[in-house]
Amino acid sequence: MNKMIKDLYYGEFVPSEIDFIQDEDYQLSLENYNKEFEKVLTIMKGHNIKNAQDILDKLIDTYVEVQEYECLNAFECGIKLGSEISNLK
């Protein structure tokens, strides 16, 4: 049996537990995100939007939900593709 399938079955492969936080690209992206977030927050507060932080937090939360759906869909498609490719052998 395929090792990856065994690893998934026995819980030895859990992508959500992979530590990527030390990755340079991730760190750079996070730094850029934080800079842009602070810029937008400052602009909103400059226009006397009192609940600017709440608005941005809600915006980010809803975007994360959409992103999670997109990632799940891509993962499912990848599994289907892998299954179909293995059937070609």
Side-chain angles (χ1 to χ4, degrees), residues 5-27:
I5 292 173
K6 280 185 181 179
D7 287 347
L8 283 169
Y9 179 80
Y10 290 110
E12 295 168 6
F13 178 73
V14 185
S16 62
E17 292 180 3
I18 296 172
D19 181 15
F20 58 88
I21 293 180
Q22 300 305 320
D23 183 83
E24 282 185 44
D25 289 336
Y26 173 80
Q27 288 295 322

Side-chain angles (χ1 to χ4, degrees), residues 37-38 41 45 49-58:
F37 183 91
E38 288 303 318
L41 186 59
K45 286 181 177 180
I49 300 172
K50 296 184 188 334
N51 58 342
Q53 181 77 46
D54 293 336
I55 291 170
L56 289 177
D57 288 344
K58 182 64 175 175

